[in-house]
Every structure is written in C-alpha cells, then in structure tokens.
Amino acid sequence: MGFWDIFWFIIWSFFFVAYLMVLFSIIGDLFRDRELNGWWKALWIIFLIFVPFLTSLVYLIARGRGMAERSATQAHAAKQATDSYIRDVAGKSPSDEIADAAKLLEAGTITTEEYEMLKAKALS
C-alpha cells in the first residue's frame, strides 16, 4: 500500500463516520420529536434505509431548525437535572449546619457538648 492508498482510506473513513453520525443524529431526533406522528417517523426511517443520502439532506434542510431546538432543550433539561442532583448531594453549607445545630441546642434536643462537636465538624 502506498501513501495515496492510505490517504484515501483515511478520507473515506472520515466521511463514512461523519455520515454515520448524521444518520444516528437524525434517527435520535426522529424519536425525540413528540409532535411528529408515528407513521411519519416510520416513513422517514424507510426513506433513510432505501435512499439514505438524499433523505438525510432533505431532513436536515426541512427539519434542521426543529432538530437544533430539540437538542438544545434536551441539553438544557440535562444540565438542570445535573445541577439539581449536585445541589441535593452536596449538602448544606457550614453556616447552615451550625444554624441547624443551634436550633437543636435551643430546643434542648442536644447538649452543649454535642453542639460543639457538630460545630467543629461543620467547620472542618
């Protein structure tokens, strides 16, 4: 194999992987779209199987804006879910923990020694 054979192999491999990414992106968008009827989804899939390049081009032209909006909406929802999870898992700030311990001390639920231990743990 010569240099040009390897070069063209790399170029064709790149285009094939790019095509697969577009194809899976379109299929993912089809099933993410809640407004599109199931029959239309099936029709798009059938055309993607039998006339893949033309169908991909038509899909990107006809539904590209909606595709971008659905993708952005999904990314925003995933970010919100991640942020919410991080806030829930992260716990309270040290000042919040000390304030809660002070309320427990005032209510007589814990002793002064326990309050001091909770305060030291929160500040560490």
Side-chain angles (χ1 to χ4, degrees):
M1 266 175 58
F3 171 77
W4 290 108
D5 293 332
I6 295 171
F7 175 77
W8 285 112
F9 176 75
I10 291 171
I11 294 296
W12 283 112
S13 297
F14 170 79
F15 282 117
F16 181 70
V17 170
Y19 166 71
L20 287 179
M21 290 177 66
V22 168
L23 188 67
F24 289 130
S25 173
I26 289 172
I27 291 171
D29 183 64
L30 274 172
F31 290 105
R32 186 182 314 132
D33 188 4
R34 297 179 188 268
E35 296 175 9
L36 193 61
N37 186 336
W39 291 105
W40 282 109
K41 290 178 184 182
L43 190 64
W44 277 111
I45 294 294
I46 289 170
F47 276 109
L48 278 171
I49 291 170
F50 291 112
V51 191
F53 292 113
L54 180 63
T55 305
S56 298
L57 184 63
V58 169
Y59 188 88
L60 292 175
I61 292 170
R63 299 179 49 87
R65 176 174 286 173
M67 189 176 180
E69 290 170 358
R70 284 184 291 279
S71 179
T73 302
Q74 184 182 15
H76 182 69
K79 183 182 181 323
Q80 284 183 335
T82 302
D83 291 345
S84 173
Y85 175 75
I86 290 171
R87 278 193 293 279
D88 290 343
V89 173
K92 299 178 182 179
S93 68
S95 60
D96 291 338
E97 290 182 23
I98 293 171
D100 289 344
K103 289 178 188 174
L104 290 174
L105 179 63
E106 289 174 8
T109 309
I110 60 174
T111 63
T112 307
E113 293 83 24
E114 291 172 327
Y115 170 76
E116 292 300 326
M117 283 191 323
L118 290 172
K119 185 177 172 183
K121 183 178 176 185
L123 291 175
S124 65

